[in-house]
mmCIF file of all heavy atoms in Angstrom:
data_model
loop_
_atom_site.group_PDB
_atom_site.id
_atom_site.type_symbol
_atom_site.label_atom_id
_atom_site.label_comp_id
_atom_site.label_asym_id
_atom_site.label_seq_id
_atom_site.Cartn_x
_atom_site.Cartn_y
_atom_site.Cartn_z
ATOM 1 N N GLN A 1023 0.823 -1.229 0.020
ATOM 2 C CA GLN A 1023 0.012 -0.005 0.007
ATOM 3 C C GLN A 1023 0.856 1.246 -0.001
ATOM 4 O O GLN A 1023 0.521 2.253 -0.678
ATOM 5 C CB GLN A 1023 -0.944 -0.006 1.225
ATOM 6 C CG GLN A 1023 -2.149 -0.849 1.059
ATOM 7 C CD GLN A 1023 -3.188 -0.547 2.160
ATOM 8 O OE1 GLN A 1023 -3.351 -1.291 3.106
ATOM 9 N NE2 GLN A 1023 -3.852 0.586 2.014
ATOM 10 N N SER A 1024 1.958 1.239 0.725
ATOM 11 C CA SER A 1024 2.807 2.420 0.760
ATOM 12 C C SER A 1024 3.485 2.658 -0.562
ATOM 13 O O SER A 1024 3.712 3.800 -0.962
ATOM 14 C CB SER A 1024 3.869 2.282 1.888
ATOM 15 O OG SER A 1024 4.802 1.260 1.566
ATOM 16 N N ILE A 1025 3.807 1.565 -1.286
ATOM 17 C CA ILE A 1025 4.407 1.715 -2.599
ATOM 18 C C ILE A 1025 3.432 2.355 -3.561
ATOM 19 O O ILE A 1025 3.746 3.200 -4.396
ATOM 20 C CB ILE A 1025 4.836 0.342 -3.151
ATOM 21 C CG1 ILE A 1025 6.021 -0.187 -2.313
ATOM 22 C CG2 ILE A 1025 5.243 0.438 -4.619
ATOM 23 C CD1 ILE A 1025 6.382 -1.637 -2.686
ATOM 24 N N LEU A 1026 2.153 1.992 -3.450
ATOM 25 C CA LEU A 1026 1.112 2.460 -4.342
ATOM 26 C C LEU A 1026 0.569 3.852 -3.913
ATOM 27 O O LEU A 1026 -0.098 4.502 -4.726
ATOM 28 C CB LEU A 1026 -0.054 1.463 -4.418
ATOM 29 C CG LEU A 1026 0.289 0.155 -5.113
ATOM 30 C CD1 LEU A 1026 -0.902 -0.831 -4.903
ATOM 31 C CD2 LEU A 1026 0.576 0.346 -6.584
ATOM 32 N N ALA A 1027 0.788 4.228 -2.690
ATOM 33 C CA ALA A 1027 0.168 5.448 -2.123
ATOM 34 C C ALA A 1027 0.439 6.692 -2.987
ATOM 35 O O ALA A 1027 -0.507 7.510 -3.160
ATOM 36 C CB ALA A 1027 0.640 5.653 -0.694
ATOM 37 N N PRO A 1028 1.626 6.929 -3.512
ATOM 38 C CA PRO A 1028 1.841 8.143 -4.311
ATOM 39 C C PRO A 1028 0.949 8.187 -5.563
ATOM 40 O O PRO A 1028 0.570 9.278 -6.015
ATOM 41 C CB PRO A 1028 3.318 8.086 -4.686
ATOM 42 C CG PRO A 1028 3.947 7.251 -3.641
ATOM 43 C CD PRO A 1028 2.915 6.233 -3.283
ATOM 44 N N LEU A 1029 0.650 7.015 -6.112
ATOM 45 C CA LEU A 1029 -0.233 6.974 -7.307
ATOM 46 C C LEU A 1029 -1.701 6.990 -6.927
ATOM 47 O O LEU A 1029 -2.524 7.471 -7.736
ATOM 48 C CB LEU A 1029 0.096 5.701 -8.119
ATOM 49 C CG LEU A 1029 1.500 5.597 -8.725
ATOM 50 C CD1 LEU A 1029 1.667 4.278 -9.417
ATOM 51 C CD2 LEU A 1029 1.729 6.749 -9.714
ATOM 52 N N TYR A 1030 -2.054 6.437 -5.777
ATOM 53 C CA TYR A 1030 -3.445 6.315 -5.380
ATOM 54 C C TYR A 1030 -3.590 6.829 -3.927
ATOM 55 O O TYR A 1030 -3.803 6.079 -2.996
ATOM 56 C CB TYR A 1030 -3.920 4.862 -5.443
ATOM 57 C CG TYR A 1030 -3.683 4.225 -6.799
ATOM 58 C CD1 TYR A 1030 -2.613 3.348 -7.011
ATOM 59 C CD2 TYR A 1030 -4.559 4.492 -7.881
ATOM 60 C CE1 TYR A 1030 -2.420 2.771 -8.248
ATOM 61 C CE2 TYR A 1030 -4.372 3.887 -9.128
ATOM 62 C CZ TYR A 1030 -3.282 3.028 -9.281
ATOM 63 O OH TYR A 1030 -3.099 2.473 -10.506
ATOM 64 N N PRO A 1031 -3.498 8.150 -3.742
ATOM 65 C CA PRO A 1031 -3.517 8.692 -2.386
ATOM 66 C C PRO A 1031 -4.841 8.547 -1.659
ATOM 67 O O PRO A 1031 -4.905 8.691 -0.444
ATOM 68 C CB PRO A 1031 -3.164 10.175 -2.597
ATOM 69 C CG PRO A 1031 -3.534 10.456 -4.030
ATOM 70 C CD PRO A 1031 -3.298 9.195 -4.761
ATOM 71 N N GLU A 1032 -5.917 8.247 -2.438
ATOM 72 C CA GLU A 1032 -7.246 8.147 -1.810
ATOM 73 C C GLU A 1032 -7.517 6.820 -1.204
ATOM 74 O O GLU A 1032 -8.575 6.628 -0.557
ATOM 75 C CB GLU A 1032 -8.311 8.474 -2.887
ATOM 76 C CG GLU A 1032 -8.548 7.359 -3.915
ATOM 77 C CD GLU A 1032 -7.457 7.235 -4.981
ATOM 78 O OE1 GLU A 1032 -6.543 8.110 -4.971
ATOM 79 O OE2 GLU A 1032 -7.546 6.338 -5.825
ATOM 80 N N VAL A 1033 -6.609 5.853 -1.299
ATOM 81 C CA VAL A 1033 -6.862 4.512 -0.819
ATOM 82 C C VAL A 1033 -6.948 4.496 0.704
ATOM 83 O O VAL A 1033 -6.107 5.085 1.418
ATOM 84 C CB VAL A 1033 -5.739 3.538 -1.287
ATOM 85 C CG1 VAL A 1033 -5.903 2.157 -0.655
ATOM 86 C CG2 VAL A 1033 -5.769 3.430 -2.810
ATOM 87 N N ASP A 1034 -7.917 3.759 1.215
ATOM 88 C CA ASP A 1034 -8.166 3.619 2.675
ATOM 89 C C ASP A 1034 -7.019 2.903 3.313
ATOM 90 O O ASP A 1034 -6.649 1.765 2.944
ATOM 91 C CB ASP A 1034 -9.465 2.861 2.873
ATOM 92 C CG ASP A 1034 -9.902 2.858 4.329
ATOM 93 O OD1 ASP A 1034 -9.083 3.174 5.208
ATOM 94 O OD2 ASP A 1034 -11.073 2.482 4.598
ATOM 95 N N ALA A 1035 -6.448 3.522 4.332
ATOM 96 C CA ALA A 1035 -5.279 2.924 5.033
ATOM 97 C C ALA A 1035 -5.613 1.677 5.846
ATOM 98 O O ALA A 1035 -4.744 0.935 6.264
ATOM 99 C CB ALA A 1035 -4.681 3.957 5.945
ATOM 100 N N THR A 1036 -6.951 1.432 6.073
ATOM 101 C CA THR A 1036 -7.369 0.278 6.882
ATOM 102 C C THR A 1036 -7.527 -1.004 6.089
ATOM 103 O O THR A 1036 -7.898 -2.022 6.624
ATOM 104 C CB THR A 1036 -8.668 0.575 7.622
ATOM 105 O OG1 THR A 1036 -9.747 0.663 6.671
ATOM 106 C CG2 THR A 1036 -8.590 1.885 8.403
ATOM 107 N N ILE A 1037 -7.262 -0.952 4.770
ATOM 108 C CA ILE A 1037 -7.474 -2.130 3.911
ATOM 109 C C ILE A 1037 -6.686 -3.335 4.392
ATOM 110 O O ILE A 1037 -7.187 -4.436 4.439
ATOM 111 C CB ILE A 1037 -7.121 -1.792 2.438
ATOM 112 C CG1 ILE A 1037 -8.241 -0.940 1.829
ATOM 113 C CG2 ILE A 1037 -6.929 -3.054 1.657
ATOM 114 C CD1 ILE A 1037 -7.953 -0.511 0.397
ATOM 115 N N SER A 1038 -5.445 -3.127 4.817
ATOM 116 C CA SER A 1038 -4.610 -4.245 5.268
ATOM 117 C C SER A 1038 -5.234 -4.979 6.434
ATOM 118 O O SER A 1038 -5.349 -6.200 6.436
ATOM 119 C CB SER A 1038 -3.229 -3.763 5.621
ATOM 120 O OG SER A 1038 -2.591 -3.174 4.521
ATOM 121 N N ARG A 1039 -5.685 -4.219 7.425
ATOM 122 C CA ARG A 1039 -6.306 -4.823 8.585
ATOM 123 C C ARG A 1039 -7.600 -5.557 8.217
ATOM 124 O O ARG A 1039 -7.838 -6.723 8.647
ATOM 125 C CB ARG A 1039 -6.601 -3.772 9.659
ATOM 126 C CG ARG A 1039 -7.380 -4.309 10.853
ATOM 127 C CD ARG A 1039 -7.690 -3.232 11.851
ATOM 128 N NE ARG A 1039 -8.384 -2.094 11.281
ATOM 129 C CZ ARG A 1039 -9.712 -2.102 11.010
ATOM 130 N NH1 ARG A 1039 -10.437 -3.156 11.256
ATOM 131 N NH2 ARG A 1039 -10.243 -1.033 10.494
ATOM 132 N N ARG A 1040 -8.401 -4.929 7.366
ATOM 133 C CA ARG A 1040 -9.704 -5.554 6.987
ATOM 134 C C ARG A 1040 -9.456 -6.793 6.128
ATOM 135 O O ARG A 1040 -10.218 -7.785 6.206
ATOM 136 C CB ARG A 1040 -10.581 -4.543 6.269
ATOM 137 C CG ARG A 1040 -11.110 -3.452 7.230
ATOM 138 C CD ARG A 1040 -12.105 -2.570 6.556
ATOM 139 N NE ARG A 1040 -11.465 -1.668 5.574
ATOM 140 C CZ ARG A 1040 -12.065 -1.245 4.446
ATOM 141 N NH1 ARG A 1040 -13.282 -1.657 4.130
ATOM 142 N NH2 ARG A 1040 -11.423 -0.433 3.664
ATOM 143 N N PHE A 1041 -8.402 -6.765 5.300
ATOM 144 C CA PHE A 1041 -8.109 -7.967 4.530
ATOM 145 C C PHE A 1041 -7.714 -9.119 5.447
ATOM 146 O O PHE A 1041 -8.165 -10.270 5.239
ATOM 147 C CB PHE A 1041 -6.972 -7.679 3.562
ATOM 148 C CG PHE A 1041 -6.467 -8.908 2.844
ATOM 149 C CD1 PHE A 1041 -7.141 -9.461 1.793
ATOM 150 C CD2 PHE A 1041 -5.265 -9.499 3.276
ATOM 151 C CE1 PHE A 1041 -6.663 -10.577 1.133
ATOM 152 C CE2 PHE A 1041 -4.785 -10.655 2.621
ATOM 153 C CZ PHE A 1041 -5.496 -11.172 1.535
ATOM 154 N N MET A 1042 -6.888 -8.866 6.440
ATOM 155 C CA MET A 1042 -6.504 -9.936 7.354
ATOM 156 C C MET A 1042 -7.700 -10.496 8.096
ATOM 157 O O MET A 1042 -7.739 -11.698 8.380
ATOM 158 C CB MET A 1042 -5.474 -9.381 8.355
ATOM 159 C CG MET A 1042 -4.183 -8.905 7.705
ATOM 160 S SD MET A 1042 -3.313 -10.145 6.704
ATOM 161 C CE MET A 1042 -2.870 -11.342 7.961
ATOM 162 N N GLU A 1043 -8.676 -9.655 8.378
ATOM 163 C CA GLU A 1043 -9.899 -10.156 9.032
ATOM 164 C C GLU A 1043 -10.699 -11.082 8.161
ATOM 165 O O GLU A 1043 -11.452 -11.921 8.663
ATOM 166 C CB GLU A 1043 -10.760 -8.961 9.464
ATOM 167 C CG GLU A 1043 -10.172 -8.104 10.609
ATOM 168 C CD GLU A 1043 -10.925 -6.826 10.859
ATOM 169 O OE1 GLU A 1043 -11.813 -6.486 10.045
ATOM 170 O OE2 GLU A 1043 -10.609 -6.139 11.830
ATOM 171 N N GLN A 1044 -10.525 -10.955 6.838
ATOM 172 C CA GLN A 1044 -11.265 -11.805 5.927
ATOM 173 C C GLN A 1044 -10.543 -13.146 5.600
ATOM 174 O O GLN A 1044 -11.164 -14.018 5.012
ATOM 175 C CB GLN A 1044 -11.503 -11.035 4.604
ATOM 176 C CG GLN A 1044 -12.486 -9.922 4.729
ATOM 177 C CD GLN A 1044 -12.782 -9.251 3.376
ATOM 178 O OE1 GLN A 1044 -12.664 -9.898 2.328
ATOM 179 N NE2 GLN A 1044 -13.190 -8.006 3.399
ATOM 180 N N LEU A 1045 -9.342 -13.264 5.997
ATOM 181 C CA LEU A 1045 -8.550 -14.465 5.648
ATOM 182 C C LEU A 1045 -9.201 -15.757 6.138
ATOM 183 O O LEU A 1045 -9.108 -16.781 5.454
ATOM 184 C CB LEU A 1045 -7.099 -14.366 6.155
ATOM 185 C CG LEU A 1045 -6.134 -13.611 5.223
ATOM 186 C CD1 LEU A 1045 -4.748 -13.645 5.788
ATOM 187 C CD2 LEU A 1045 -6.140 -14.232 3.823
ATOM 188 N N PRO A 1046 -9.782 -15.816 7.338
ATOM 189 C CA PRO A 1046 -10.474 -17.073 7.761
ATOM 190 C C PRO A 1046 -11.548 -17.475 6.775
ATOM 191 O O PRO A 1046 -11.741 -18.647 6.467
ATOM 192 C CB PRO A 1046 -11.035 -16.765 9.132
ATOM 193 C CG PRO A 1046 -10.124 -15.679 9.666
ATOM 194 C CD PRO A 1046 -9.775 -14.843 8.465
ATOM 195 N N ASP A 1047 -12.323 -16.489 6.287
ATOM 196 C CA ASP A 1047 -13.381 -16.818 5.290
ATOM 197 C C ASP A 1047 -12.793 -17.255 3.977
ATOM 198 O O ASP A 1047 -13.319 -18.153 3.313
ATOM 199 C CB ASP A 1047 -14.303 -15.582 5.109
ATOM 200 C CG ASP A 1047 -15.067 -15.219 6.358
ATOM 201 O OD1 ASP A 1047 -15.356 -16.137 7.157
ATOM 202 O OD2 ASP A 1047 -15.361 -14.026 6.542
ATOM 203 N N ILE A 1048 -11.718 -16.588 3.544
ATOM 204 C CA ILE A 1048 -11.077 -16.991 2.281
ATOM 205 C C ILE A 1048 -10.531 -18.436 2.400
ATOM 206 O O ILE A 1048 -10.665 -19.239 1.500
ATOM 207 C CB ILE A 1048 -9.895 -15.994 1.954
ATOM 208 C CG1 ILE A 1048 -10.470 -14.636 1.628
ATOM 209 C CG2 ILE A 1048 -9.066 -16.522 0.751
ATOM 210 C CD1 ILE A 1048 -9.428 -13.544 1.465
ATOM 211 N N TYR A 1049 -9.954 -18.737 3.548
ATOM 212 C CA TYR A 1049 -9.428 -20.091 3.772
ATOM 213 C C TYR A 1049 -10.581 -21.104 3.715
ATOM 214 O O TYR A 1049 -10.443 -22.165 3.077
ATOM 215 C CB TYR A 1049 -8.763 -20.156 5.137
ATOM 216 C CG TYR A 1049 -8.307 -21.532 5.525
ATOM 217 C CD1 TYR A 1049 -7.220 -22.156 4.923
ATOM 218 C CD2 TYR A 1049 -9.030 -22.281 6.465
ATOM 219 C CE1 TYR A 1049 -6.808 -23.422 5.277
ATOM 220 C CE2 TYR A 1049 -8.643 -23.553 6.812
ATOM 221 C CZ TYR A 1049 -7.524 -24.125 6.221
ATOM 222 O OH TYR A 1049 -7.159 -25.406 6.573
ATOM 223 N N ASP A 1050 -11.692 -20.778 4.333
ATOM 224 C CA ASP A 1050 -12.841 -21.699 4.305
ATOM 225 C C ASP A 1050 -13.358 -21.924 2.878
ATOM 226 O O ASP A 1050 -13.660 -23.058 2.487
ATOM 227 C CB ASP A 1050 -13.998 -21.135 5.163
ATOM 228 C CG ASP A 1050 -15.224 -22.027 5.194
ATOM 229 O OD1 ASP A 1050 -15.089 -23.186 5.570
ATOM 230 O OD2 ASP A 1050 -16.299 -21.544 4.793
ATOM 231 N N LEU A 1051 -13.435 -20.874 2.079
ATOM 232 C CA LEU A 1051 -13.868 -20.982 0.666
ATOM 233 C C LEU A 1051 -12.897 -21.887 -0.104
ATOM 234 O O LEU A 1051 -13.324 -22.736 -0.894
ATOM 235 C CB LEU A 1051 -13.938 -19.613 0.049
ATOM 236 C CG LEU A 1051 -15.136 -18.731 0.399
ATOM 237 C CD1 LEU A 1051 -14.930 -17.317 -0.139
ATOM 238 C CD2 LEU A 1051 -16.431 -19.331 -0.137
ATOM 239 N N LEU A 1052 -11.604 -21.674 0.106
ATOM 240 C CA LEU A 1052 -10.618 -22.446 -0.642
ATOM 241 C C LEU A 1052 -10.597 -23.915 -0.233
ATOM 242 O O LEU A 1052 -10.400 -24.805 -1.059
ATOM 243 C CB LEU A 1052 -9.237 -21.825 -0.465
ATOM 244 C CG LEU A 1052 -9.052 -20.469 -1.159
ATOM 245 C CD1 LEU A 1052 -7.691 -19.877 -0.834
ATOM 246 C CD2 LEU A 1052 -9.190 -20.609 -2.668
ATOM 247 N N ARG A 1053 -10.856 -24.216 1.040
ATOM 248 C CA ARG A 1053 -10.968 -25.610 1.419
ATOM 249 C C ARG A 1053 -12.164 -26.267 0.753
ATOM 250 O O ARG A 1053 -12.048 -27.413 0.289
ATOM 251 C CB ARG A 1053 -11.118 -25.696 2.944
ATOM 252 C CG ARG A 1053 -9.912 -25.321 3.766
ATOM 253 C CD ARG A 1053 -8.708 -26.233 3.547
ATOM 254 N NE ARG A 1053 -8.984 -27.664 3.675
ATOM 255 C CZ ARG A 1053 -8.037 -28.572 3.682
ATOM 256 N NH1 ARG A 1053 -6.780 -28.228 3.534
ATOM 257 N NH2 ARG A 1053 -8.326 -29.843 3.765
ATOM 258 N N GLN A 1054 -13.240 -25.525 0.643
ATOM 259 C CA GLN A 1054 -14.411 -26.066 -0.070
ATOM 260 C C GLN A 1054 -14.121 -26.256 -1.558
ATOM 261 O O GLN A 1054 -14.556 -27.247 -2.158
ATOM 262 C CB GLN A 1054 -15.601 -25.138 0.143
ATOM 263 C CG GLN A 1054 -16.142 -25.091 1.548
ATOM 264 C CD GLN A 1054 -17.370 -24.254 1.658
ATOM 265 O OE1 GLN A 1054 -18.357 -24.448 0.949
ATOM 266 N NE2 GLN A 1054 -17.365 -23.283 2.546
ATOM 267 N N ASP A 1055 -13.390 -25.311 -2.151
ATOM 268 C CA ASP A 1055 -13.040 -25.450 -3.559
ATOM 269 C C ASP A 1055 -12.164 -26.680 -3.770
ATOM 270 O O ASP A 1055 -12.407 -27.482 -4.703
ATOM 271 C CB ASP A 1055 -12.241 -24.232 -4.046
ATOM 272 C CG ASP A 1055 -13.046 -22.919 -3.996
ATOM 273 O OD1 ASP A 1055 -14.268 -23.017 -4.196
ATOM 274 O OD2 ASP A 1055 -12.440 -21.861 -3.773
ATOM 275 N N ALA A 1056 -11.164 -26.863 -2.950
ATOM 276 C CA ALA A 1056 -10.252 -28.019 -3.083
ATOM 277 C C ALA A 1056 -11.018 -29.323 -2.937
ATOM 278 O O ALA A 1056 -10.773 -30.304 -3.696
ATOM 279 C CB ALA A 1056 -9.102 -27.914 -2.088
ATOM 280 N N THR A 1057 -11.907 -29.380 -1.952
ATOM 281 C CA THR A 1057 -12.688 -30.604 -1.762
ATOM 282 C C THR A 1057 -13.602 -30.860 -2.942
ATOM 283 O O THR A 1057 -13.743 -32.025 -3.419
ATOM 284 C CB THR A 1057 -13.529 -30.474 -0.455
ATOM 285 O OG1 THR A 1057 -12.653 -30.311 0.625
ATOM 286 C CG2 THR A 1057 -14.381 -31.701 -0.234
ATOM 287 N N ALA A 1058 -14.198 -29.848 -3.475
ATOM 288 C CA ALA A 1058 -15.086 -29.987 -4.663
ATOM 289 C C ALA A 1058 -14.324 -30.507 -5.889
ATOM 290 O O ALA A 1058 -14.814 -31.352 -6.625
ATOM 291 C CB ALA A 1058 -15.792 -28.665 -4.972
ATOM 292 N N ILE A 1059 -13.113 -29.990 -6.062
ATOM 293 C CA ILE A 1059 -12.295 -30.466 -7.177
ATOM 294 C C ILE A 1059 -11.919 -31.932 -7.005
ATOM 295 O O ILE A 1059 -12.005 -32.725 -7.922
ATOM 296 C CB ILE A 1059 -11.023 -29.581 -7.329
ATOM 297 C CG1 ILE A 1059 -11.364 -28.152 -7.747
ATOM 298 C CG2 ILE A 1059 -10.066 -30.191 -8.361
ATOM 299 C CD1 ILE A 1059 -10.197 -27.201 -7.682
ATOM 300 N N HIS A 1060 -11.563 -32.291 -5.773
ATOM 301 C CA HIS A 1060 -11.245 -33.699 -5.489
ATOM 302 C C HIS A 1060 -12.448 -34.613 -5.780
ATOM 303 O O HIS A 1060 -12.290 -35.694 -6.370
ATOM 304 C CB HIS A 1060 -10.783 -33.816 -4.032
ATOM 305 C CG HIS A 1060 -10.570 -35.225 -3.579
ATOM 306 N ND1 HIS A 1060 -11.295 -35.801 -2.569
ATOM 307 C CD2 HIS A 1060 -9.718 -36.189 -4.019
ATOM 308 C CE1 HIS A 1060 -10.922 -37.045 -2.418
ATOM 309 N NE2 HIS A 1060 -9.973 -37.302 -3.241
ATOM 310 N N GLN A 1061 -13.607 -34.176 -5.327
ATOM 311 C CA GLN A 1061 -14.795 -34.971 -5.517
ATOM 312 C C GLN A 1061 -15.228 -35.072 -6.976
ATOM 313 O O GLN A 1061 -15.864 -36.059 -7.422
ATOM 314 C CB GLN A 1061 -15.952 -34.434 -4.679
ATOM 315 C CG GLN A 1061 -15.717 -34.560 -3.168
ATOM 316 C CD GLN A 1061 -16.763 -33.867 -2.356
ATOM 317 O OE1 GLN A 1061 -17.506 -33.014 -2.844
ATOM 318 N NE2 GLN A 1061 -16.809 -34.197 -1.062
#
């Protein structure tokens, strides 16, 4: 985000924290995807 900040100064600084909060849901989705491919 800091690398991109000069080009996109309007970006919300809390994105990193909110992304990390979503990782458990992303993990759950990917486990379901992997199981579906196996099946």
Side-chain angles (χ1 to χ4, degrees):
Q1023 280 193 256
S1024 68
I1025 293 172
L1026 293 171
L1029 296 176
Y1030 306 102
E1032 73 284 357
V1033 173
D1034 187 345
T1036 67
I1037 284 177
S1038 299
R1039 174 181 55 79
R1040 290 188 287 149
F1041 172 78
M1042 298 303 294
E1043 291 171 352
Q1044 292 186 23
L1045 275 183
D1047 294 330
I1048 294 172
Y1049 174 75
D1050 179 58
L1051 285 170
L1052 290 175
R1053 291 297 308 188
Q1054 293 184 53
D1055 296 329
T1057 299
I1059 293 171
H1060 174 242
Q1061 293 173 345

